[in-house]
Structure formats: structure tokens, C-alpha cells
Amino acid sequence: MIPIKPVSTIAPSRTTFAAHDREDGPAQAALAFLKPGSLSLSSLPPLSLYVHFPWCVKKCPYCDFNSHEVKDGFPEELYLAALRSDLEMALPLIWGRKINTIFIGGGTPSLLSAAGLDRLLSDVRTLLPLDTEAEITLEANPGTFEAEKFKAYRASGINRLSIGIQSFNSTHLQALGRIHDGDQAQRAVEIAQTHFDNFNLDLMYALPGQSLAQAREDLERAMAYAPPHLSLYHLTLEPNTLFAKYPPQVPDDDASAEMQDMIAEATAAAGYGHYEVSAYAKAGRQSRHNMNYWQFGDYLGIGAGAHSKLSFPHRIVRQMRYKHPQTYLDQVQAGRPVQEEAEITRSELGFEFMLNALRLTDGFAPNLFAERTGMPLNAIQEILNLVENRGLLFRDHQVIRPTVLGSRFLNDLQEMFLT
């Protein structure tokens, strides 16, 4: 049998995953019958735009995102010009398709000036057809909050903020290497409330030295502001981070599980629906951008290190831009911002789809698989039977979703779809 570990041992990620190679006997055997060949998508999925801003004030010791410390400022004008050029070069791949959501992430994109952000959104509107009700999210960190700047952000078209609070406890924030303290975290939420009716608060738990009572206090303080959306992440020590090299003392698995149980009870009591591994929302306030990821929709990523997943009638491709900011600027100027591009093969699609869709608590409609992959669901029938027989998956004619056991051991359930 494939060894099973609780999902709590691996932190939920804010990004989508790419398929990777792994030797896994049962999963390989179950999908060995897949035959190569072109796909057949009856329609293209919804399309989102992701814009990456690669700079931050300070690199956090737990962060494995493509972010680089600001040293003597950053080239705002050059980077904005590069983003426009990058987008212009990508237009033939998405010609005529409407953008449903935009997410500006980082790094710390709230380091952008009000004029800079206005220029970025103006360029996007000039080049792309936007849905009239497009969700436009900006990631922001408390150490960058200025009331007038965020008022200007709202006027430019940002209609949702995602605020990296992480904790309201100054001691824990210091242990995480954050540049803000508890008072600044509180002030950031107050500014967000003043100018935005739709915002998300990011919190982390299982922090170095954190007790169950402290985790509960953080959550209660966050919910006291009545945010429409909460993202609650288990701290993990990711490879190639400072925390991986010098691991701090963090709560053990039992303590972490108690925190997860507390979060489930407290959020439900406060009216938050747990709709994805790490996401909780009031009714109708789910993140539309992230839902597009989890439902295997398309996204164009521009900016240093940004990833794209784009569908065509008979193929699906992934792209990655050059990661280092200066390299990205140079390559855009040379007319080749894409460092890597690869077609997702038929044998990878089952895993790619399930890696995303199984994160949704309520699962997905069976016909979504064919709509988004161009393959019939019976292409993965054997592995579906296998995981269903192990009690990890529930399915009928209306829905496919993880069971309670499957949600607890989600990482292993997803990996069973590897080829």
C-alpha cells in the first residue's frame, strides 16, 4: 500500500502545482493504459490573469515564493513597461478570450506606487477584454499600508485585497521574520475595511512556540473584523528556505491537529464555509480567482517567474517566465520572456486535474473532468475505483469529492493519480 500521512504534515499552498516525476507502483500501474494522442476540448475554460511582482522589503525565512529583497529601491517604471510588453507578446495565445479575474501577487505588490498600479491596470484594460464584474485582487502586507495609497488603489479598480497578516501576536511575527507587528496588522485591517468591502486575511498556525490558546486568539481577532474570506495555512518548513536550513521548534503533529480541529469548529460557528483545504468564506465570498485554479481553469501569468496554464482545442500547455527580475527584464526586451514551455500529456492530465480539484471540500461535478481535460472520465476509471475502495473518495452521478478520510490524507490521495 502507498504510505499515508495526514494532510496536516504538509502546508496547503497558495499556488497551483505542476506535475512531477515519481516512482509509485500502484498509481503507475493504474494509469498505464492511457494512450498518447491529441485532446478534444469542446470549449475552452474560464481565463484568469496573474501578475507577479517579485520584490519585497525582506525575505521571510519560511517563504519559497519567487521574491527578492528590495535594495536601494526597485525599477518600477522599467518593470511596468516589461509587464505590458510581456502581455502584448502573449496576446496571440488568448486572442478574443475574456478575463474573468485578475490577481496581482508577489512578493509584495503593495510596494507599487498608486500611480504605478493605476498604470498597470490601465494597460491591462487597454489590451484585454475584462468581464464587467471581474474580481481584481491585490496582495498586500501590513508594513506597506498607507490609507491614501489604498484609497487610490480602490479608485484604480482593485476591488479585493488579500492581506498577509499571518498573526496578530508580535512575538510570533518576529519569529516569522515579518516586518510588521501586531499593531500594524490591526491598522492594516482597519484601512482595508474603510476602502474595501471584499478582503481576505491570511493567517498561519503551528508557528514556532505557538500554543493552542494563542492560535485561537489569532483566529478570534481576525474573525472579529468580519472578513468575507479567511485563508488559514499550516506553517511548513519548505526546502530551500532559511527555516529548512535552521528549523525552529514548532508544535508537534498532535498539537497541530488540535489547532486544525479548533479552526474547523470556530470558523463554522462564525458562519464561514470551509470550501477548500485552506480557504474559508462567508456565503458567496469564495475567491473566484482561486476557484478557477482549483477547477482547472486557465490562467495567463506575466511577470518574473509567473506560471501559465493555457488550453487550446487539442492541447494544454504550461509556461514559466524567467524568475530573476533582471533576467526577466532583459529577456522581455529581447522578445522572449518565456523560459520554459511544455505540453501537458494525456498521461499527466489525470494527476494535474485531481491535484487541483480534490482540494475542493465539496468536490466537483463528474462532467467537469471531460470539459477541462478533453478526456472521458473513464480514462482514469481504474485509479478512481482504487481510491474509492480505500475509502478516500466518494462519487456518484452528481459529484466526486474526498471523503473525510480522503481530506485528512489529501496529499496521498492526490499522489495516487501520479503517472
Side-chain angles (χ1 to χ4, degrees):
M1 290 181 62
I2 297 175
I4 291 181
K5 300 177 184 177
V7 70
S8 61
T9 62
I10 302 179
S13 171
R14 286 175 290 180
T15 60
T16 52
F17 297 77
H20 56 279
D21 296 327
R22 168 192 166 120
E23 289 188 14
D24 209 332
Q28 291 215 6
L31 290 180
F33 61 89
L34 287 175
K35 303 296 183 184
S38 63
L39 309 176
S40 181
L41 275 69
S42 58
S43 62
L44 300 183
L47 177 64
S48 294
L49 175 68
Y50 175 76
V51 182
H52 191 75
F53 181 87
W55 291 282
C56 55
V57 176
K58 179 184 177 183
K59 182 78 171 180
C60 296
Y62 58 85
C63 178
D64 66 342
F65 295 162
N66 183 35
S67 58
H68 306 262
E69 289 189 11
V70 170
K71 296 177 181 177
D72 302 319
F74 60 92
E76 179 171 291
E77 295 298 316
L78 284 175
Y79 194 69
L80 291 171
L83 288 174
R84 178 173 179 127
S85 296
D86 189 354
L87 183 54
E88 287 175 335
M89 285 183 275
L91 288 179
L93 298 176
I94 58 168
W95 201 255
R97 296 180 66 181
K98 181 173 61 178
I99 299 296
N100 294 281
T101 68
I102 300 173
F103 195 99
I104 306 169
T108 307
S110 51
L111 288 173
L112 279 167
S113 67
L117 184 70
D118 188 66
R119 173 183 170 181
L120 170 61
L121 292 179
S122 177
D123 285 345
V124 169
R125 291 190 190 93
T126 299
L127 296 171
L128 295 173
L130 296 189
D131 185 274
T132 55
E133 301 296 324
E135 175 193 88
I136 305 177
T137 303
L138 176 78
E139 276 191 338
N141 287 330
T144 66
F145 267 71
E146 302 165 14
E148 288 305 310
K149 183 165 75 168
F150 279 81
K151 181 179 179 181
Y153 285 170
R154 184 69 182 90
S156 294
I158 298 296
N159 54 31
R160 184 176 182 270
L161 286 184
S162 183
I163 310 171
I165 297 294
Q166 314 312 349
S167 176
F168 290 95
N169 184 309
S170 294
T171 300
H172 292 148
L173 288 168
Q174 185 175 18
L176 289 173
R178 303 293 290 182
I179 64 169
H180 66 277
D181 59 23
D183 291 339
Q184 289 173 310
Q186 178 177 323
R187 176 62 176 154
V189 182
E190 291 169 351
I191 291 174
Q193 281 184 312
T194 301
H195 301 292
F196 296 85
D197 62 359
N198 193 9
F199 62 95
N200 164 67
L201 300 183
D202 274 2
L203 288 180
M204 300 177 76
Y205 64 95
L207 307 179
Q210 187 181 46
S211 67
L212 176 62
Q214 289 170 328
R216 179 182 288 109
E217 182 182 359
D218 263 349
L219 180 57
E220 289 176 348
R221 288 191 65 178
M223 293 192 301
Y225 293 104
H229 193 284
L230 286 165
S231 297
L232 304 173
Y233 301 107
H234 185 293
L235 174 66
T236 50
L237 312 184
E238 300 287 356
N240 303 314
T241 64
L242 192 63
F243 271 5
K245 188 174 182 179
Y246 304 104
Q249 188 68 37
V250 295
D252 61 24
D253 288 347
D254 289 340
S256 295
E258 288 181 350
M259 291 179 188
Q260 287 182 309
D261 291 342
M262 176 274 295
I263 288 169
E265 294 171 5
T267 52
Y272 289 90
H274 184 195
Y275 73 96
E276 187 266 340
V277 170
S278 56
Y280 303 74
K282 295 286 189 177
R285 293 303 189 104
Q286 293 88 348
S287 167
R288 289 167 51 198
H289 187 87
N290 285 345
M291 282 294 293
N292 193 42
Y293 286 157
W294 309 141
Q295 293 175 335
F296 211 52
D298 278 0
Y299 48 93
L300 171 66
I302 60 172
H307 290 251
S308 302
K309 177 241 168 189
L310 299 172
S311 298
F312 303 89
H314 302 295
R315 62 192 180 102
I316 301 173
V317 300
R318 287 199 181 277
Q319 295 178 333
M320 186 187 78
R321 266 61 177 167
Y322 285 89
K323 294 181 68 173
H324 192 277
Q326 187 57 56
T327 305
Y328 170 75
L329 291 172
D330 294 340
Q331 294 297 327
V332 170
Q333 189 172 17
R336 47 176 185 271
V338 177
Q339 181 179 9
E340 297 177 10
E341 178 173 317
E343 186 171 332
I344 305 176
T345 66
R346 289 177 62 93
S347 62
E348 295 169 333
L349 272 171
F351 171 67
E352 289 261 347
F353 179 90
M354 290 298 184
L355 189 59
N356 289 279
L358 289 178
R359 293 176 66 93
L360 294 170
T361 305
D362 292 335
F364 58 93
N367 62 358
L368 187 68
F369 181 85
E371 289 177 10
R372 298 295 158 85
T373 66
M375 301 191 306
L377 187 62
N378 63 19
I380 55 170
Q381 188 67 38
E382 291 185 27
I383 193 67
L384 285 173
N385 291 340
L386 176 64
V387 296
E388 185 178 21
N389 290 338
R390 292 188 180 184
L392 301 175
L393 196 73
F394 171 85
R395 58 177 172 144
D396 59 21
H397 67 286
Q398 291 184 315
V399 69
I400 298 174
R401 59 171 171 78
T403 61
V404 173
L405 182 65
S407 293
R408 178 165 174 76
F409 301 110
L410 181 59
N411 299 102
D412 298 275
L413 170 57
Q414 292 165 324
E415 287 181 6
M416 291 173 74
F417 287 90
L418 275 168
T419 58

